[in-house]
Amino acid sequence: MDQNELKKLVAKAALADVRPGEILGVGTGSTVDFFIDALAQSGLSVPACVSSSVRSTRRLEQLGFRVLEMNEVDGIGVYVDGADEIDAGFNMIKGGGGALTREKIVASVARKFVCIADASKKVPVLGKFPLPVEVIPMALRAVAARLREFGGNPVERDFTTDNGNRILDVHGLSIEEPAALEAAINQIPGVVSVGLFAARGADVLLLGTAEGVKRFERR
Ligand code: 5RP
């Protein structure tokens, strides 16, 4: 099975976590695109979704889902999203699609975070995938200098986020303490958010493997 088939497999498996009648949080990325398509085909009754990107909002609306703003809801039941890397403690690197800040915001109000990922995303230590950091444009140079102090090599991505900011992808990190690094990077003036999801990691991991979908729950 190729990577896309594994993504489709986990996307479909995540339907079992959707609670009919509850507001659903929807992440961003190619795996989530497959999830949105599977959701539309499932006929499950979802009163409304809260989306983490313009891209997902567009796809959801095209398929007939009602999409609400975060400020219109008190909370979210399940939040389904992909990851660029996930470790054994359910800490993640996210933001390969550039939606890390909105993903973090939506995840923060969700009761349950279901991560859907193909097997290549499961790693012993985070950091091989360059760590995305969303930055206010005027602070790019200053933030890049601070990020070098952590041993990484920040490279500006040719991309503007849905929030009008820029992204530095930090190469060359080996992230042994994700929660501590997340907190430290968040303290740098000019950083909007870092694509380390440790303070609020996943609760459930659905991993698409050649042997089928494996489910792991955070203890
Ligand atoms: C977007 C993300 C995605 O979840 C992550 O990049 C995984 O993407 P894909 O499902 O396309 O592999 O964090 O900001």
Side-chain angles (χ1 to χ4, degrees), residues 73-100:
V73 304
D74 289 325
I76 289 168
V78 173
Y79 176 61
V80 178
D81 200 356
D84 298 302
E85 285 185 348
I86 182 161
D87 70 12
F90 288 23
N91 306 295
M92 293 168 284
I93 287 184
K94 293 184 45 51
L100 58 150

Side-chain angles (χ1 to χ4, degrees), residues 7 28-32 81-84 94-100 103 121:
K7 287 181 180 189
T28 300
S30 58
T31 319
V32 167
D81 200 356
D84 298 302
K94 293 184 45 51
L100 58 150
E103 289 171 346
K121 309 289 183 66

